[in-house]
Amino acid sequence: MTTKSTAEPIFFDEIQKSFGPVRALWPTTLKVAAGEFLTLLGPSGSGKTTLLNIAAGYLEPDSGRMRIGGRDVTALPPRQRNIGMVFQNYALFPHMNVVDNVAYGLRVRNIAAAEIARRVADALTMVKLEGFERRSVQQLSGGQQQRVALARAMVIEPDLLLMDEPLGALDRQLRKHVQLEIRRLHTSSRRTTIYVTHDQEEALVMSDRIAIMSEGRLEQIGTPVELYRSPKNIFVATFLGESNLLPVTIGERSPQQVSFRIAGVDASWTMAAHESVPRGTAAMLLVRPEDLQLAGPQEDGIAARIVEVVYLGELTAVRAELAGGREVWLRRMKLPTVHVGETARIRWEPASARLLETVEKT
């Protein structure tokens, strides 16, 4: 499909929104780079759909500004923003066939018939629906309908493509397939895209960057690797991926290293001091399941009782209980043979762990 050679950056400047006494979106500042695929990730009520609807023009913010490139679009209605929108329920016209659904946005813009035919053909080739032109959309599978919705959104060559839980109605296997299709389409078109989901795996697979939201606040934004390896708080650590969180007390520290004692376990560890948690603070130590190991005969470790062993095909997961009752999960491709009820020792490389201060929101 022929697309414009440029993509537009998107700017949200101190955008906020309330519905009566409920603060749906606290002041939020965010830049989406030109051609970037940004996912808004969070649980229900986190504010992600509110922000998307403000971007689309379906909601007007209480305060703040929004720009698409150099245009201030804060007060513009949706039809004047040149956006493409893909909904969870597809929002296709059931009385129209595939071609007419895809062509609809071009016809209301009074594009010439020959240009409409060319762009619709290109769009259907892009989503691999050649030969379906005259098919009723009611005769299509869920995955095919979603591709029609994508083609309809992209055929108008939008400055901004918005997707609101677009794969929510698909089964798990089909979701995985369409995730990769959407990623492929984005790679070829580099259309600036904001995508809303509550599915962690979906966000990790598809995004250039992820903005994690909670209770109307932007908690952290970064690449999937940055957020997974270096979450800034407990919410981000637990919402994105599986986490082992161990309560610790911070001991001696220097600019380079920090020591701590793990609550309930008579052990002291030292790790690189990349966090600013002060001495004496009660904190949480984050260790991902794939970073925990069973200690070898010559290695230091913490005693743990094996509670459960789960075979997952290419991986084995082990649930272990530390002194004091805290449980952790190990998940690795290769683990020494262990049995439920026996005692083992667990360890991790200090560089793979992260200290998170337990600070309440105000």
Side-chain angles (χ1 to χ4, degrees):
M1 178 180 175
T2 302
T3 60
K4 292 186 291 186
S5 60
T6 59
E8 298 281 9
I10 311 301
F11 301 90
F12 299 95
D13 184 14
E14 293 291 297
I15 293 285
Q16 61 178 321
K17 182 68 179 178
S18 295
F19 298 100
V22 178
R23 182 71 68 93
L25 199 63
W26 293 81
T28 299
T29 296
L30 175 63
K31 177 183 177 181
V32 187
E36 181 177 25
F37 193 114
L38 177 79
T39 293
L40 303 179
L41 176 67
S44 297
S46 62
K48 58 188 188 296
T49 298
T50 298
L51 187 59
L52 190 81
N53 284 332
I54 288 172
Y58 300 144
L59 285 176
E60 188 172 338
D62 297 334
S63 61
R65 313 301 296 172
M66 178 188 167
R67 287 184 291 132
I68 298 179
R71 294 188 299 146
D72 187 330
V73 299
T74 311
L76 288 183
R79 66 181 180 276
Q80 294 180 20
R81 296 191 179 204
N82 193 33
I83 59 169
M85 188 83 184
V86 183
F87 301 92
Q88 180 175 350
N89 63 357
Y90 317 140
L92 300 176
F93 298 112
H95 61 287
M96 295 183 182
N97 61 23
V98 170
V99 162
D100 290 338
N101 265 279
V102 176
Y104 179 82
L106 298 175
R107 287 172 179 157
V108 298
R109 288 167 170 79
N110 295 316
I111 304 297
E115 177 67 5
I116 289 176
R118 182 189 68 78
R119 285 166 67 171
V120 168
D122 285 349
L124 292 178
T125 298
M126 176 183 65
V127 298
K128 299 182 179 179
L129 283 178
E130 309 98 312
F132 288 78
E133 290 83 355
R134 301 301 168 187
R135 190 82 58 92
S136 166
V137 295
Q138 295 178 311
Q139 296 176 310
L140 303 180
S141 68
Q144 290 167 338
Q145 289 184 31
Q146 190 56 273
R147 286 196 240 165
V148 173
L150 281 168
R152 184 180 62 182
M154 296 186 72
V155 76
I156 64 172
E157 298 185 346
D159 294 322
L160 174 61
L161 181 62
L162 303 175
M163 302 192 195
D164 187 11
E165 302 270 9
L167 309 185
L170 305 182
D171 63 59
R172 181 173 175 80
Q173 284 303 112
L174 187 54
R175 281 173 74 106
K176 288 186 174 182
H177 173 73
V178 180
Q179 284 171 16
L180 297 177
E181 285 294 302
I182 292 175
R183 186 65 195 171
R184 177 186 64 80
L185 292 175
H186 177 75
T187 301
S188 64
S189 69
R190 300 311 299 182
R191 187 76 55 200
T192 306
T193 301
I194 302 178
Y195 187 99
V196 163
T197 186
H198 63 273
D199 187 297
Q200 306 164 22
E201 181 181 332
E202 197 165 283
L204 290 169
V205 167
M206 301 176 67
S207 312
D208 295 323
R209 286 192 304 160
I210 301 169
I212 297 186
M213 302 187 70
S214 173
E215 298 179 354
R217 292 179 171 90
L218 179 59
E219 294 284 350
Q220 188 174 354
I221 184 168
T223 66
V225 172
E226 288 169 347
L227 295 179
Y228 188 81
R229 301 311 315 183
S230 301
K232 77 171 190 178
N233 59 35
I234 291 173
F235 177 82
V236 175
T238 54
F239 193 79
L240 191 68
E242 297 180 32
S243 306
N244 294 308
L245 289 170
L246 303 175
V248 301
T249 302
I250 305 303
E252 297 296 328
R253 64 174 299 123
S254 70
Q256 290 77 38
Q257 292 186 318
V258 58
S259 298
F260 54 88
R261 185 177 183 278
I262 299 175
V265 179
D266 188 17
S268 180
W269 290 70
T270 299
M271 62 186 292
H274 54 274
E275 292 87 2
S276 58
V277 186
R279 180 179 178 181
T281 300
M284 285 290 184
L285 181 73
L286 166 67
V287 188
R288 299 290 187 182
E290 64 272 18
D291 293 324
L292 279 179
Q293 308 169 35
L294 294 176
Q298 307 303 317
E299 295 176 316
D300 293 331
I302 298 174
R305 183 175 65 87
I306 305 301
V307 176
E308 185 177 5
V309 179
V310 181
Y311 177 67
L312 300 173
E314 73 276 17
L315 299 172
T316 299
V318 174
R319 181 162 59 98
E321 183 182 67
L322 308 181
R326 176 74 58 163
E327 291 188 342
V328 296
W329 278 95
L330 297 76
R331 188 177 63 241
R332 300 183 69 84
M333 293 187 67
K334 293 183 179 180
L335 278 172
T337 301
V338 291
H339 301 92
V340 172
E342 69 182 32
T343 299
R345 287 178 301 116
I346 63 171
R347 65 179 300 275
W348 60 86
E349 295 298 329
S352 68
R354 187 167 184 86
L355 287 169
L356 301 173
E357 192 169 0
T358 53
V359 177
E360 295 295 326
K361 290 178 185 175
T362 57

